[in-house]
Amino acid sequence: MQLTFVKKWGMIKRKQSEMLFREAAQRMPGGVSSPVRAFKGVGGTPLFIKKGKGPYLWDADGNQYIDYIGSWGPMILGHSHPAILQAVKKALKLGTSFGAPTESEIFLSRLVQEAFPSIEKIRFVNSGTEAVMGAVRVARAFTQRKKIIKFDGCYHGHADYLLVKAGSGAATLGIPDSAGVPEEFVQNTLVARYNDTASVEELFQKNSGEIAAIIVEPIVGNMGTILPRRDFLLKLREIASREKALLIFDEVMTGFRVAFGGVQELYNLKPDLTTLGKIIGGGFPVGAYGGRREIMQLVAPEGPVYQAGTLSGNPIAMAAGIATLNQIKKLKPYESLSQKTQKLTLGLKEAANRHGVTVTIERAGSMFTLFFTGEPVINAEVARRADTQKFGRFFHAMLERGIYLPPSQFEAAFVSVAHTEKNIAQTIAAAEEVFKTL
Ligand code: KE4
């Protein structure tokens, strides 16, 4: 199938992006505002994006792509959705920021709490990182304990004490432990292995009575997509309750992505605290943390746990989030998103098999990762054994064919409501051509 906007290998013009990148690299570290955008995981010059509409992005040279990054998760409805643009325009007419409570925060709270009954009280912030910082701080205050357990390969934002064996950009850049983080800052951070409850039990035995919380990406997106096996999540819930530690589900990526109520809806589990971000801002900077009332009432100004933010609950961002969640409620898209994504991943797997290319594809709803490995990817160690060089070649060959995948083996790709059956077919056709050359 000849893709309408496919150009021959290497014929895609990149002059504008290359020129822009040269100046950006002079002014900003790595020429980007967030490391994973710099293509370090796949090589080459990052594309400077000019416009997004539905499932498409256009770069500064006018090349069109089917986008599977979706701004790293937020764009579940596709780019420039009319309902979101309309809501934002309406809100803008009233002003942009007041530094005072607005009813829009109540409206978004209602929608989030409807989807996440475990979130009895919620605080809005400006990013997933801030949400996690707030959740960990209130967990430490509530339990009066210092230590936290995270999992190797899980990424929970860039707070110092969580940049320990982190995934996402940290894994891509091969610096799981960041420079500039004094070892004192991470001495209370314990690392377990995902899908291995024995490693969690061992940490509790060695640190009995000292662990405030377990924080987990209940379905991992930041080592690429990794699914919880058997009763891993249920066991975490049981262990945390038994040890009087809190269970924090970091659903910044999975919230409203894998189901309206996230992983906790899919597995019918109640964490003590949840962190959210991405989709709840509809493309604007919004994060949130929340959970059991007796925990959240410790947060200032109600309680002694300080946390604040000039633009937290910003009315424009709230308007985008409200419009997004209302649209999702109306469309009920999860079944069709899952089917569309399954069709894509099955097509990719069959194309790879036809050309003798060994891949494992892990999928949860409309998030997925194609790993260049033959083993089921059950944890970070297995993910790190994937052939990242081959992933880089695959990434660029797909990009040349107008398919924009996440520029890292250790990220999740996302299908949106806007992706059509034709887009799926075009993507499989492009992969068929690429697997031939790989
Ligand atoms: P932000 O601070 O980037 O809004 O959220 C941090 C965060 C927390 N928890 C989870 C599960 C996350 O996935 C993230 C952010 N995810 C990455 C993508 N893997 C953001 C992309 C980037 O860093 O540029």
Side-chain angles (χ1 to χ4, degrees):
M1 170 188 289
Q2 179 58 29
L3 303 178
T4 47
F5 44 78
V6 165
K7 298 180 179 65
K8 281 283 163 256
W9 169 270
M11 296 293 281
I12 282 204
K13 293 192 308 357
R14 298 281 179 80
K15 277 203 176 19
Q16 286 302 315
S17 281
E18 281 160 3
M19 186 188 67
L20 291 169
F21 188 56
R22 270 194 295 279
E23 178 171 0
Q26 294 302 315
R27 296 177 183 282
M28 296 167 273
V32 293
S33 297
S34 196
V36 73
R37 304 177 190 175
F39 278 23
K40 286 274 183 262
V42 292
T45 302
L47 300 178
F48 278 65
I49 300 302
K50 203 146 190 101
K51 176 186 159 193
K53 184 83 186 135
Y56 301 115
L57 290 176
W58 286 263
D59 66 18
D61 292 280
N63 302 303
Q64 180 186 7
Y65 305 90
I66 301 174
D67 173 31
Y68 287 102
I69 301 179
S71 180
W72 302 100
M75 310 321 283
I76 192 167
L77 296 175
H79 294 284
S80 305
H81 191 285
I84 299 174
L85 298 188
Q86 192 194 353
V88 167
K89 283 177 191 152
K90 187 162 169 254
L92 282 171
K93 291 200 176 74
L94 302 172
T96 53
S97 179
F98 312 119
T102 66
E103 67 178 347
S104 60
E105 289 146 273
I106 298 169
F107 294 152
L108 190 56
S109 303
R110 285 178 189 157
L111 285 162
V112 172
Q113 290 170 311
E114 178 190 334
F116 289 82
S118 70
I119 299 182
E120 296 171 348
K121 230 169 192 182
I122 189 170
R123 167 60 59 88
F124 290 113
V125 292
N126 302 286
S127 68
T129 295
E130 278 190 271
V132 167
M133 288 171 69
V136 168
R137 188 175 305 145
V138 76
R140 284 174 160 153
F142 182 77
T143 58
Q144 296 291 300
R145 296 175 179 179
K146 290 180 183 175
K147 293 182 177 174
I148 54 169
I149 291 177
K150 75 175 290 288
F151 292 87
D152 177 13
C154 284
Y155 177 72
H156 303 289
H158 64 86
D160 284 338
Y161 49 84
L162 284 165
L163 285 175
V164 177
K165 289 208 176 301
S168 182
T172 304
L173 299 177
I175 46 166
D177 307 322
S178 169
V181 177
E183 61 273 7
E184 296 85 352
F185 283 31
V186 297
Q187 64 194 23
N188 289 314
T189 306
L190 308 169
V191 182
R193 187 179 300 112
Y194 189 76
N195 272 322
D196 174 357
T197 42
S199 69
V200 179
E201 290 286 12
E202 191 184 333
L203 288 173
F204 273 101
Q205 272 150 30
K206 288 185 179 152
N207 302 272
S208 177
E210 299 179 70
I211 296 171
I214 300 170
I215 184 166
V216 65
E217 290 184 60
I219 290 176
V220 181
N222 289 296
M223 274 314 285
T225 306
I226 304 179
L227 293 161
R229 268 33 182 202
R230 286 183 306 285
D231 53 2
F232 175 63
L233 295 178
L234 176 62
K235 283 272 186 289
L236 290 187
R237 176 62 281 174
E238 290 169 351
I239 294 169
S241 301
R242 184 193 75 210
E243 298 288 341
K244 300 197 177 9
L246 299 185
L247 180 60
I248 305 174
F249 270 12
D250 179 353
E251 297 222 44
V252 165
M253 187 183 288
T254 55
F256 298 98
R257 168 59 64 180
V258 298
F260 195 57
V263 176
Q264 54 198 273
E265 175 188 309
L266 286 184
Y267 288 77
N268 193 23
L269 279 171
K270 260 197 172 191
D272 300 296
L273 292 166
T274 299
T275 54
L276 295 170
K278 295 183 192 278
I279 291 173
I280 66 168
F284 281 70
V286 180
Y289 64 101
R292 284 168 41 202
R293 193 174 290 279
E294 63 268 25
I295 301 170
M296 288 303 291
Q297 66 192 20
L298 292 177
V299 177
E302 200 169 331
V305 177
Y306 196 71
Q307 180 268 307
T310 303
L311 293 172
S312 295
N314 173 272
I316 312 304
M318 295 291 109
I322 293 161
T324 300
L325 299 193
N326 277 328
Q327 198 62 26
I328 292 173
K329 265 181 81 175
K330 196 171 93 180
L331 294 174
K332 296 184 175 37
Y334 294 102
E335 189 46 43
S336 65
L337 274 172
S338 204
Q339 282 165 1
K340 213 167 20 177
T341 311
Q342 186 180 36
K343 191 170 180 181
L344 171 61
T345 51
L346 214 56
L348 293 174
K349 177 74 178 162
E350 285 165 355
N353 289 348
R354 273 195 293 279
H355 299 287
V357 178
T358 306
V359 299
T360 294
I361 301 183
E362 298 290 350
R363 176 182 73 83
S366 57
M367 61 188 263
F368 71 95
T369 300
L370 184 150
F371 290 94
F372 283 92
T373 181
E375 348 171 34
V377 181
I378 59 165
N379 60 36
E381 283 147 58
V382 175
R384 289 191 188 106
R385 289 203 288 269
D387 183 338
T388 52
Q389 300 298 318
K390 192 174 272 189
F391 179 87
R393 293 198 302 277
F394 177 69
F395 169 83
H396 281 291
M398 291 292 274
L399 196 64
E400 293 297 338
R401 288 163 175 78
I403 310 297
Y404 192 12
L405 295 168
S408 160
Q409 174 68 91
F410 305 118
E411 294 287 354
F414 300 98
V415 175
S416 82
V417 166
H419 285 79
T420 62
E421 294 296 333
K422 185 164 176 265
N423 293 146
I424 301 299
Q426 286 169 327
T427 306
I428 295 168
E432 183 85 43
E433 284 182 21
V434 171
F435 285 133
K436 259 186 230 153
T437 66
L438 271 189

